[in-house]
Structure formats: C-alpha cells, structure tokens
Amino acid sequence: MNAGRIAPLALYQEVAERLRQRIFSHELPPGTWVDEQALASQYGISRTPLREALKVLAAEGLVTLKPRRGCYVTEISERDLDEIFTVLALLEGQCAVNTVHKASEADLKRLAAIHQDLERAAAANDIDGFFEANQAFHQEVQLIADNRWLTQAITDLRKVIKLSRHHSLFIEGRLEQSLAEHRTILDALNRRDVMATELAMREHISSGRAALAKLAHRDKPA
C-alpha cells in the first residue's frame, strides 16, 4: 500500500465537501461560473485536486462541466423537480415498505422519539429544527430499511433538490401539513400496514413537491 496517496485523496474530498456546502447555502447560486483559478488560490491548493473535486460534484449533479466553457453550478428547472420528486416518491415509498418488514419495536420507538422532535419544533414554529428532525426521521427510515442502494439513490436525489431556490417549509401551512403527514406515516408503520405506509410516504414526498411549486409560482415576477 502506498501511504503517500492518502493525503491527495483526502484533499480533493475535503474540497468537494466545502464546495458542496457553499452550493447548498447558495453562496454559489445555480448558474454560477466556477472560477477554478480563484478557488485554487483561495484554498491554497493546485488546480488538480480542485478539478478532481469538481468531477465528484459533477457526478452528483451539483455542477455541470461544459466543454470549452468551464464549470457551472447546475441550474434546476421546474421540470427537473417534477421528475426528481416522481422518482424520489417511488424510492422513499419502497424504503418505507422495507421498514415495515424489518423494523423492530426498538426501531419504532426511535422513530417515535424523532417524531416528538418534529412535534416540538412545529409547536415552536421552529422551521430549522423541524427541517433537521425531518431529515433525521427519513434517514432513520432508510437505516431501518437497510438497503444501501436505495439509500444512495435517495441521498443523491436529495442533494440535487437542495439546488432549488425555495424551501417548501416556508409556505404557509406546510409545516403543519408535513407534521400531519409524518403522523400518518408513523401510525401506518406502527400498525405494520405495508400498503398504507407506502402510500403515506409517497403522498408526503409529493406534497413537498406541490409546496415547492406554489412557492415558485408565488415568487414569479408579475
């Protein structure tokens, strides 16, 4: 084993993560040209690990490499969101099915505890807290489902969704609606009702897309 290879591998991965977070925070908004020279100078690195990092982000769909034009942060259209959420609903629905079959009583108690975080955040109108608890809930469902390919596909799609300029929880009534949907999912899981759990999860994902569409329509210039 060549121990000398560890450092450059860790370097481009770290650069990829830093750029990923700047993209998710919209510090680098969709459509932004990625200035490789400026970034390499800013991070104090050569352009080689930076380009390797950009290849990672391109594989995730977060940046687009255009021949002879450079690299740009991916712009996501309403059609893209429609298509992504359609696939995501299918994948997360299947994940929920697997969870019904595999969840132990201890697993269901952990989900119930996470759901209580959702209830508390909703009661306090804490959107950030609700968002974090929502992520934790879905990640726990994926963990219980125990299918790494499903989890990987869902994770990759959710990364691309973060390119959207909108956040569905900011639409009036969406937080309460999302909470009610989580209650339905948890109830179906506790009853070990496969069809009801899958349907509840799919409808939950589809409702998120509908909320994003309303925000996009609201924010269109008159």
Side-chain angles (χ1 to χ4, degrees):
M1 179 181 293
N2 185 354
R5 294 184 61 192
I6 295 176
L9 282 174
L11 179 59
Y12 86 75
Q13 290 169 346
E14 181 180 347
V15 173
E17 179 57 23
R18 289 191 185 187
L19 290 175
R20 193 181 287 118
Q21 293 308 315
R22 292 176 72 176
I23 290 170
F24 289 161
S25 68
H26 286 203
E27 181 184 342
L28 293 173
T32 300
W33 174 61
V34 178
D35 188 336
E36 293 184 20
Q37 186 172 348
L39 284 173
S41 177
Q42 180 182 349
Y43 291 147
I45 59 175
S46 72
R47 292 175 74 169
T48 298
L50 177 61
R51 285 174 175 167
E52 290 301 313
L54 292 175
K55 288 178 183 177
V56 171
L57 299 182
E60 294 175 358
L62 300 181
V63 300
T64 303
L65 303 173
K66 300 182 179 181
R68 298 182 296 280
R69 293 177 58 192
C71 180
Y72 293 79
V73 178
T74 301
E75 293 186 88
I76 188 166
S77 67
E78 290 300 303
R79 175 178 173 175
D80 289 329
L81 287 173
D82 284 339
E83 293 174 349
I84 289 168
F85 271 89
T86 297
V87 176
L88 189 63
L90 292 171
L91 295 177
E92 295 228 26
Q94 182 59 50
C95 223
V97 168
N98 291 5
T99 299
V100 174
H101 292 305
K102 295 181 180 181
S104 66
E105 291 305 310
D107 292 330
L108 294 178
K109 285 181 180 179
R110 283 199 306 275
L111 280 172
I114 295 171
H115 179 78
Q116 286 307 308
D117 292 336
L118 286 167
E119 294 278 359
R120 283 188 286 269
N125 198 32
D126 178 2
I127 291 179
D128 288 338
F130 191 93
F131 179 73
E132 289 177 8
N134 177 68
Q135 283 192 307
F137 186 92
H138 285 268
Q139 287 168 357
E140 187 66 25
V141 169
Q142 292 163 32
L143 182 65
I144 298 166
D146 192 27
N147 183 321
R148 68 188 180 98
W149 302 107
L150 265 178
T151 297
Q152 180 178 316
I154 290 168
T155 300
D156 288 346
L157 288 177
R158 285 195 172 272
K159 285 178 184 176
V160 179
I161 289 171
K162 287 185 179 180
L163 292 169
S164 170
R165 298 176 188 270
H166 302 96
H167 193 317
S168 65
L169 291 175
F170 284 107
I171 194 168
E172 185 178 354
R174 175 56 191 159
L175 190 148
E176 294 79 10
Q177 181 187 22
S178 180
L179 180 63
E181 290 163 3
H182 279 92
R183 288 172 181 158
T184 301
I185 293 167
L186 190 60
D187 176 67
L189 277 168
N190 283 324
R191 290 186 287 107
R192 307 281 184 172
D193 188 326
V194 174
M195 291 182 65
T197 302
E198 181 179 18
L199 180 61
M201 183 63 82
R202 287 194 184 190
E203 289 183 345
H204 172 56
I205 302 300
S206 297
S207 292
R209 171 60 189 126
L212 280 178
K214 285 181 182 179
L215 274 175
H217 180 74
R218 185 193 69 183
D219 293 346
K220 278 185 180 179

